[in-house]
Amino acid sequence: MIRYAKPTTVDEALALLGEDRWRVLAGGTDFYPAQGAKPFRDNILDINGLAVLRGIVETDDHWRIGARTTWTDIVRHPLPAAFDALKAAAREVGSVQIQNVASVAGNLCNASPAADGVPALLVLEAEVELRSAKATRHLPLGEFILGNRRTALRPGEMVTAIRVPKPSAAGASAFVKLGARRYLVISIAMAAARLVIADGAVADAAIAVGACSAVARRLAGVETVLRGQPATAALADAVLSAPIDELSPIGDVRGSAEYRQGAGREIVARAVRAAVGLGESKVAA
């Protein structure tokens, strides 16, 4: 017999996770489509009653995004310009109805290579807060998502928040998504760029691409090339000639591996231009 529980406190939820195996239900926008017509075989832990896990808080050293925070919450909350890529990605997570209920943590735990929120959080150097009944630990997002549908969650653990360090909330950012149409589409490729400009030049750069490898990747070679460059339209040319060794795209019904490789580089160039105010963050259909 399966069990269904809807705890009213985080401690109650963690106690339940420590005593049995559960599937955590948050927004449910991926949960039910993945289930399909199959009968339920797993215990269901519904955390939608945990109001404490929803919301965005600024502390002295980081921004804290609760696990149940929705994409609509992200769009509406006043945040620094460094979060503009995340806000743009939030607007591309399914429809508005999905954005109203889908959680940020659910997007990460689903661990899809095409998860729109991941590149924007990678350029913010986000870390994932993981709690069990016995301990709390924090992992960089790049170490939390291990592969397609695989995460570093341990038995008895639950994601309770995503944290963005204050130093990473500097500069301005942009997000560009490539899809077969303008709305309601799974990404062929997507890119997020965050640039810090000082004295007319790029003081720091963080670039990430999704849907072009098993997990979204930071592009260290592009970041190195951009640092020190004048903040002009020539930044796009620097991206187009920079080494990109981190991507390993596959071919599928949405695009070939070769197409993704070239498209990935192009949308990085567009994201970089948009981050310095020389272009528009948008979906490229």
Side-chain angles (χ1 to χ4, degrees):
M1 172 179 279
I2 65 170
R3 301 169 63 191
Y4 170 85
K6 190 172 183 179
T8 56
T9 68
V10 174
D11 287 342
E12 182 186 354
L14 297 177
L16 288 166
L17 284 170
E19 69 183 34
D20 205 345
R21 295 182 64 86
W22 299 81
R23 285 179 68 190
V24 176
L25 171 63
T29 56
D30 283 316
F31 186 97
Y32 292 108
Q35 186 67 29
K38 297 178 293 184
F40 283 96
R41 304 288 188 190
D42 303 311
N43 298 326
I44 309 301
L45 185 66
D46 184 345
I47 64 169
N48 284 293
L50 303 181
V52 70
L53 294 185
R54 183 173 178 180
I56 303 170
V57 177
E58 180 182 8
T59 72
D60 290 340
D61 56 5
H62 63 262
W63 290 86
R64 189 175 191 277
I65 303 170
R68 284 193 54 246
T69 301
T70 69
W71 293 106
T72 297
D73 294 336
I74 295 288
V75 170
R76 292 178 176 175
H77 196 86
L79 290 164
F83 287 82
D84 284 355
L86 185 62
K87 286 177 176 280
R91 294 184 178 97
E92 303 302 334
V93 179
S95 63
V96 171
Q97 294 92 331
I98 289 175
Q99 294 162 23
N100 286 343
V101 295
S103 67
V104 177
N107 195 246
L108 305 186
C109 292
N110 198 37
S112 166
D116 288 323
V118 176
L121 286 168
L122 282 175
V123 301
L124 288 168
E125 298 181 345
E127 60 182 23
V128 182
E129 180 181 281
L130 304 165
R131 284 186 61 186
S132 68
K134 297 180 179 179
T136 300
R137 64 188 180 115
H138 298 92
L139 277 181
L141 178 56
E143 296 178 19
F144 174 72
I145 301 176
L146 303 178
N148 185 17
R149 310 297 181 180
R150 295 192 300 115
T151 73
L153 266 172
R154 295 172 181 168
E157 281 187 331
M158 179 174 70
V159 175
T160 49
I162 296 93
R163 306 198 315 178
V164 174
K166 277 293 185 65
S168 301
S173 68
F175 174 81
V176 175
K177 172 174 175 171
L178 174 65
R181 59 180 186 268
R182 178 63 181 83
Y183 296 106
L184 296 171
V185 64
I186 297 174
S187 296
I188 298 171
M190 61 192 131
R194 180 176 62 85
L195 301 180
V196 179
I197 307 300
D199 299 324
V202 179
D204 196 15
I207 311 294
V209 171
C212 288
S213 45
V215 296
R217 300 285 189 189
R218 285 277 296 269
L219 304 184
V222 175
E223 293 171 357
T224 298
V225 166
L226 289 176
R227 293 186 185 107
Q229 296 276 351
T232 67
L235 287 176
D237 296 329
V239 170
L240 295 176
S241 60
I244 297 182
D245 301 321
E246 295 86 353
L247 305 185
S248 53
I250 63 168
D252 60 17
V253 295
R254 287 183 290 278
S256 67
E258 294 77 14
Y259 176 73
R260 277 192 169 93
Q261 190 79 35
R265 186 183 289 275
E266 173 62 28
I267 63 173
V268 167
R270 295 187 189 188
V272 166
R273 284 174 50 86
V276 292
L278 297 171
E280 184 180 351
S281 181
K282 63 181 181 178
V283 170

